[in-house]
Amino acid sequence: MNRVPRGRRPRTPAVIPGAVPAFGLTLVWVGLLVLLPLAALAARPWEDGPAWILHALANRRTLAALRLSFGTALVAAAVCTLLGLLLAWVLERVRPPGWRVLDALVDLPFALPTAVAGITLTTLYAPNGWLGAPLAHLGIHVAYTPVGIMIALVFVGLPFVVRTVLPVLRDLPHELEEAASTLGAKRGQIARRVLLPALLPALATGFGLAFARGVGEYGSVIFIAGNRPLVSEIAPLLIVIRLQEFDYAGAAAIGLVMLLTAALCLLAVTVLRRRLPAMRGVAR
């Protein structure tokens, strides 16, 4: 019997015919459609020198737009994490009447054009809208403010958390909770010591995806934001404005900041998933 050298995995025959051409096609796709555009975006701002990048990013209007995009995306991702966990729990463990319809509606932001979502949210939360009018009567203004931006980002980010947490929650056996209850654990202890450690990797992944989506969101935000400079102007809109002004280097500099932030966010989520104990078993 042939022994496999230590540190090497036994080579298994390819399951899919034509695996080598498929691998080559994958490399071409990644190179032409992912790496090449990203490299062009990263290289464009440096053509005019580092001083121009600092000048483009140190602009007061640019800093306000970046701060608004990242701040609202961070808050919206946190809200999505809490609401997504609650919604996933209801869909999997409570299952009220009509839960299948509710489960299908969770994916609606994936299929709905973002511009349609933006117009709908603006109609609802405008000062004369169904929800905006009573809120405005209470002194709460949603449309054309950062609050409206955060609501739009929660709308598009919530499905990422639900679809990440729901499969993990579905695979958790009920016997774990029953055994903990039999041993005398209270509900809070079961949630904190049994359920939460298993759900933390999925929650971290959902948070990262919702944050990355929120930073670059444009269509659903553009209408409800109001686009007032230094108040409710988001970074993606500022990129469009810079392009209309033929300031390609300035637009690329803002895009580079957003690209690096999204990459760091995904890297942090990957590192966090590997460090969390419950995820190690899944990763292996």
Side-chain angles (χ1 to χ4, degrees):
M1 181 176 180
N2 297 330
R3 293 184 178 180
V4 178
R6 182 175 296 180
R8 290 186 179 181
R9 292 183 178 180
R11 180 175 295 178
T12 56
V15 178
I16 303 176
V20 174
F23 179 66
L25 181 63
T26 302
L27 290 180
V28 171
W29 179 83
V30 171
L32 292 180
L33 299 182
V34 179
L35 297 181
L36 188 60
L38 294 181
L41 175 63
R44 179 61 182 88
W46 299 98
E47 294 180 359
D48 297 324
W52 177 255
I53 296 178
L54 294 177
H55 172 74
L57 295 180
N59 184 280
R60 185 172 169 228
R61 186 177 177 182
T62 303
L63 291 177
L66 290 172
R67 185 167 54 247
L68 178 65
S69 289
F70 289 129
T72 51
L74 187 64
V75 175
V79 174
C80 286
T81 303
L82 295 177
L83 291 182
L85 175 61
L86 179 62
L87 187 54
W89 179 268
V90 170
L91 290 176
E92 177 56 30
R93 297 301 171 91
V94 180
R95 294 196 172 182
W99 69 273
R100 293 184 185 279
V101 177
L102 186 61
D103 188 31
L105 289 177
V106 169
D107 295 330
L108 182 62
F110 287 145
L112 191 67
T114 54
V116 176
I119 293 173
T120 304
L121 292 174
T122 306
T123 305
L124 282 176
Y125 290 100
N128 58 349
W130 289 355
L131 299 177
L135 290 175
H137 184 71
L138 298 174
I140 303 174
H141 299 281
V142 177
Y144 318 128
T145 67
V147 179
I149 298 174
M150 194 193 67
I151 290 177
L153 297 184
V154 169
F155 177 78
V156 299
L158 187 62
F160 288 96
V161 180
V162 176
R163 291 306 171 207
T164 306
V165 173
L166 195 58
V168 180
L169 193 58
R170 186 172 297 146
D171 291 339
L172 277 179
H174 291 269
E175 289 77 8
L176 287 177
E177 302 167 49
E178 294 174 357
S181 179
T182 303
L183 294 174
K186 298 180 180 179
R187 291 185 177 181
Q189 292 175 319
I190 296 175
R192 190 174 64 255
R193 298 186 177 182
V194 178
L195 297 178
L196 192 58
L199 294 175
L200 269 179
L203 289 173
T205 303
F207 175 86
L209 293 176
F211 176 73
R213 172 65 188 270
V215 168
E217 180 60 22
Y218 181 82
S220 62
V221 177
I222 194 68
F223 298 104
I224 200 170
N227 309 320
R228 290 181 294 166
L230 305 179
V231 177
S232 59
E233 187 179 54
I234 58 175
L237 174 65
L238 191 56
I239 292 177
V240 175
I241 293 175
R242 292 288 184 254
L243 292 175
Q244 292 174 343
E245 295 172 347
F246 303 102
D247 183 6
Y248 300 114
I254 301 173
L256 180 60
V257 172
M258 300 182 70
L259 172 64
L260 293 177
T261 305
L264 289 176
C265 179
L266 293 179
L267 179 63
V269 169
T270 302
V271 173
L272 184 62
R273 289 173 57 185
R274 290 186 175 277
R275 287 185 175 276
L276 290 175
M279 199 61 190
R280 291 175 185 168
V282 178
R284 290 173 183 173

